[in-house]
C-alpha cells in the first residue's frame, strides 16, 4: 500500500493529511490561529494534488482510484474534522457545540459522498439533451 505514496499527487495528499492532523492537534491545545494556518496549507495541498493528478498522463487507473479515495478522506479531515474540533474546543465542548460539530460532520460527509458519485462538471461543455435540441 505504501507504494501508492510514490505517486506525486498521492504524496501531496499525504502531506495535506499531515498538515490537517497538525491543525487538529493545534486546535486541541488552544493554538487556534496556528491551527487555522496549517488547515489553510492543507487546503492548498488539496488544490495542488488535484492539479498534479490531472497532469499525470501515465498514471495507472488503480493509482488514480486509490488517489481519489485517499483525497476524499483527506478532504473530510481538513473540511469537517478540523472545523468540528475547533467548534468543540473553542466552545468548551458544550452540548450546542457538539450539535454543531455533528451537523458539520454529517453535511461534509454527505457532500463528499455525493460528489464521489456525481462529480461536478466544471470546465466541461454540457451536452444538450434531445429535448433541448
Amino acid at each position: 500500500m505504501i507504494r501508492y505514496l510514490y505517486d506525486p499527487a498521492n504524496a501531496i495528499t499525504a502531506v495535506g493529511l499531515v498538515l490537517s492532523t497538525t491543525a487538529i492537534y493545534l486546535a486541541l491545545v488552544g493554538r487556534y490561529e496556528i491551527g487555522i494556518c496549517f488547515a489553510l496549507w492543507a487546503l492548498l495541498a488539496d488544490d495542488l494534488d488535484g492539479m498534479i493528478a490531472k497532469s499525470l498522463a501515465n498514471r495507472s487507473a488503480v493509482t488514480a482510484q486509490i488517489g481519489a479515495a485517499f483525497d476524499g478522506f483527506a478532504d473530510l479531515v481538513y473540511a469537517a474534522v478540523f472545523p468540528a474540533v475547533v467548534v468543540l474546543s473553542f466552545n468548551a465542548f458544550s452540548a450546542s457545540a457538539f450539535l454543531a460539530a455533528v451537523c458539520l460532520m454529517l453535511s461534509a460527509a454527505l457532500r463528499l459522498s455525493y460528489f464521489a458519485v456525481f462529480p461536478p462538471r466544471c470546465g466541461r461543455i454540457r451536452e444538450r439533451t434531445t429535448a433541448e435540441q
Side-chain angles (χ1 to χ4, degrees):
M1 283 188 274
I2 298 296
R3 70 185 169 111
Y4 292 108
L5 292 179
Y6 293 122
D7 176 72
N10 291 347
I12 292 171
T13 301
V15 169
L17 193 54
V18 170
L19 291 167
S20 297
T21 305
T22 305
I24 290 168
Y25 167 78
L26 290 165
L28 287 171
V29 298
R31 304 294 309 262
Y32 302 107
E33 302 87 359
I34 299 172
I36 290 170
C37 290
F38 273 83
L40 290 173
W41 280 104
L43 175 65
L44 183 63
D46 182 51
D47 284 344
L48 184 61
D49 74 7
M51 288 188 289
I52 288 176
K54 289 175 187 160
S55 71
L56 296 173
N58 59 347
R59 194 173 192 215
S60 75
V62 172
T63 300
Q65 286 178 319
I66 289 183
F70 190 38
D71 185 62
F73 177 76
D75 290 351
L76 188 64
V77 173
Y78 85 79
V81 176
F82 173 72
V85 167
V86 168
V87 167
L88 283 166
S89 61
F90 194 74
N91 292 292
F93 300 93
S94 67
S96 60
F98 175 73
L99 181 61
V102 167
C103 289
L104 275 169
M105 293 296 296
L106 286 173
S107 62
L110 182 60
R111 178 190 167 277
L112 288 170
S113 299
Y114 179 85
F115 286 119
V117 175
F118 303 105
R121 299 177 69 175
C122 300
R124 293 189 220 161
I125 298 174
R126 186 173 67 90
E127 294 179 22
R128 294 187 324 166
T129 63
T130 54
E132 293 175 329
Q133 296 175 356

